Amino acid sequence: MKKLVLPFTLVAIIGALYEQSKEKPNVYILCITIVVFIYGIIGLSAKTPSKNQEEKEQDDTQ
């Protein structure tokens, strides 16, 4: 599932940019792509370790 986060996020970005470039963009499609983009960013940022976690691990080893 985590491998699908980045492609879905990229598709949402491309879809939103394409829809926005139209003369009359569909608001529902834009909302859906924004929601998918936000969930994608949340999923990607969940993989990033916390700075505090690294400091805590260094303190535990000393």
Side-chain angles (χ1 to χ4, degrees):
M1 182 67 182
K2 290 185 178 183
K3 292 182 180 181
L4 296 176
V5 173
L6 185 60
F8 278 134
T9 305
L10 292 175
V11 169
I13 292 170
I14 293 168
L17 289 174
Y18 175 73
E19 190 66 29
Q20 187 65 31
S21 69
K22 291 182 177 179
E23 190 172 321
K24 289 189 175 184
N26 190 340
V27 177
Y28 296 114
I29 293 176
L30 287 173
C31 290
I32 291 169
T33 56
I34 290 170
V35 169
V36 171
F37 174 73
I38 290 172
Y39 278 115
I41 294 298
I42 290 170
L44 290 173
S45 66
K47 294 180 184 179
T48 308
S50 172
K51 182 179 177 183
N52 295 335
Q53 182 181 5
E54 292 175 3
E55 290 175 357
K56 186 176 180 183
E57 288 175 1
Q58 289 176 356
D59 291 341
D60 290 341
T61 59
Q62 293 178 353

